[in-house]
Structures are given as C-alpha cells and as structure tokens.
Amino acid sequence: MDDFFTGGGGDLVIDWTSMPTYNTIMSIAAGAGLLLLVSLGRSLHRDERFRSEGWALGAGVLGVLLTLTGAHMTLTWPFAKYFPFDNIIFGETSLGLGVLLLAAAFYLWKRAAVLADAEDRAEEVAATAKPLSVFVFGLGLALFGIAAAGIVFQLFAAPAEEPVSGAFAQWPWLEASFMSGLFALVGLGAVLFPFALRSFSSTRPLSGAAKTMGVVWAIAGVAFLLFGALNFYTHIGLIVNTMG
C-alpha cells in the first residue's frame, strides 16, 4: 500500500486518484428518501387532500441521485482502490433504494387520478407494493449483514486527519457501532415492510409493524441526512489534510 499511503513522520498522505468518494450526497439522499417514505405512508393513511404528483417528484429526484451514484459505485470495481467494500456497503444499497424510489415515483405519477378518487388509497398502494416486499425484505437482511460486518471488522472508523470524526480515531469501535446501528435500523424497517403492508389502510389504525417501521426509518433518515451534511465538511477537511 506504499503507493497509496505515503509520507513520513506519521503524517497521512492519500493518493486521492485512487480514493474517489461521494457518499456525501448519497447519505443525504438516502436519509431524505427514508424520511420521504415515512411521510408518504403517514399522508396516505391520514391526509384527505393527498396530492400524488408532489410525492412523485420528491421520490423521482432522490431516486435519480441514488440510482446514478449507486450504479456507478456498484459497477466500478473497486471504486476506491483500498476500500472495495464501499462498493457493497454504499453502492449496492443506494442502488437498491434508488430504483425503488424511481418505481414509486412512476407509480404515484401515473396513478395520480386513481389515487385521488380511491376510497382507501393506502390499501391501494399497499396492494401495488406487495410484489416488491420480498426484495425489500431481502435488502433488510443484507443491511443486517452490513451492520454485523461493520462491528466485526471495525469498519467506518475515520482517520485522525478527518475533522470532527477523527477526534474519535483512537476508539474505532465508536463510529463502527454508530454506523452499524444506523444500517441495522434501516434493515429492521425493511424486514418489517411486508408485515406493515398487510393491514395498511386509511380506515384502520396502523399495525405495530407499521408503527415500528416508521419510527426506525425516521430515526435513521434524520441521522443519515445530518451525517451526510456533516461529511461535506469532514470529507473536504480530510482531503485538504492528506493531499501532501
């Protein structure tokens, strides 16, 4: 790894031509996407003045961002020369969420008139989403795997040269636990997704599965959104501190 980590005297110098990164915008889009799904579910269940087109635009914007960046990271192997697991952790998960959001955007736009007149639009959407629930459930299991890998292999730890996050470099388990916990929360919501759909209706109270899914996705969504925003500072600082 001498061609990547160079420099003497304990100073970290990174060859950034071998370390492209843009999980900043991916994190913000993923967090916003989770919050959008939670808000969409709440609106379908409660909002009598539901406007499908606005939700379609929101899902479409986030879906395009996540699909493009996720597909590029997934198909460029390895995307970061010395961190190929980023392709799996960030690329594949972003691609999966992005395509799901694009599918939701297409459906909400095309079926806007039907949903506006539906007696139970929540039940209508749940019936349409049911065939995708197996894939969402599988993504949830994959996110559990990522969370376990983060703990076992101490992933996600920032170097000391990274502002803010680098202050905890001597405790690599700390950031590993934080990020793994976020992936586990999203995974829990995804695993509950098929069960939440079973009784999702505008005329009945939300089930325990639906409530739990909404809570964990809301928490993870806010965390990913804020963490991604913070990384616009910390990642720029890391690049500046390690350019040599």
Side-chain angles (χ1 to χ4, degrees):
M1 297 177 66
D2 291 340
D3 59 333
F4 176 68
F5 297 111
T6 58
D11 294 327
L12 177 64
V13 178
I14 296 177
D15 176 13
W16 285 102
T17 62
S18 301
M19 272 294 294
T21 179
Y22 50 55
N23 55 9
T24 41
I25 191 65
M26 296 169 81
S27 179
I28 287 181
L34 291 171
L35 293 174
L36 181 141
L37 291 173
V38 173
S39 299
L40 173 61
R42 184 183 296 113
S43 293
L44 285 168
H45 184 254
R46 300 178 180 176
D47 190 2
E48 294 181 359
R49 300 181 61 188
F50 180 79
R51 292 295 178 267
S52 186
E53 294 91 344
W55 294 104
L57 290 173
V61 168
L62 298 173
V64 168
L65 282 172
L66 288 168
T67 299
L68 288 177
T69 54
H72 183 221
M73 185 178 282
T74 298
L75 300 175
T76 305
W77 188 270
F79 184 69
K81 186 174 181 181
Y82 294 101
F83 296 90
F85 45 80
D86 278 2
N87 291 60
I88 300 171
I89 295 173
F90 299 113
E92 295 188 19
T93 53
S94 294
L95 177 59
L97 177 57
V99 172
L100 287 170
L101 286 171
L102 286 180
F106 177 78
Y107 169 76
L108 290 169
W109 187 269
K110 294 290 290 184
R111 302 287 287 178
V114 173
L115 291 175
D117 296 331
E119 293 184 8
D120 192 334
R121 64 176 63 92
E123 193 171 63
E124 175 79 17
V125 171
T128 304
K130 187 176 180 180
L132 283 171
S133 63
V134 174
F135 177 58
V136 177
F137 183 85
L139 284 177
L141 297 180
L143 289 166
F144 286 154
I146 289 173
I151 296 293
V152 172
F153 302 112
Q154 297 285 287
L155 306 178
F156 310 118
E161 288 76 8
E162 182 171 339
V164 185
S165 302
F168 308 99
Q170 58 183 317
W171 303 296
W173 57 268
L174 187 60
E175 191 165 4
S177 300
F178 171 72
M179 290 300 298
S180 293
L182 289 184
F183 280 107
L185 281 178
V186 181
L188 176 59
V191 166
L192 290 174
F193 183 76
F195 306 98
L197 291 181
R198 289 182 178 178
S199 58
F200 188 55
S201 169
S202 303
T203 60
R204 295 190 298 272
L206 289 175
S207 65
K211 290 179 180 178
T212 303
M213 183 186 74
V215 169
V216 296
W217 276 2
I219 293 172
V222 170
F224 272 116
L225 186 77
L226 296 178
F227 191 67
L230 175 65
N231 281 347
F232 273 91
Y233 170 71
T234 62
H235 284 194
I236 290 172
L238 175 62
I239 293 171
V240 170
N241 290 339
T242 58
M243 287 191 303

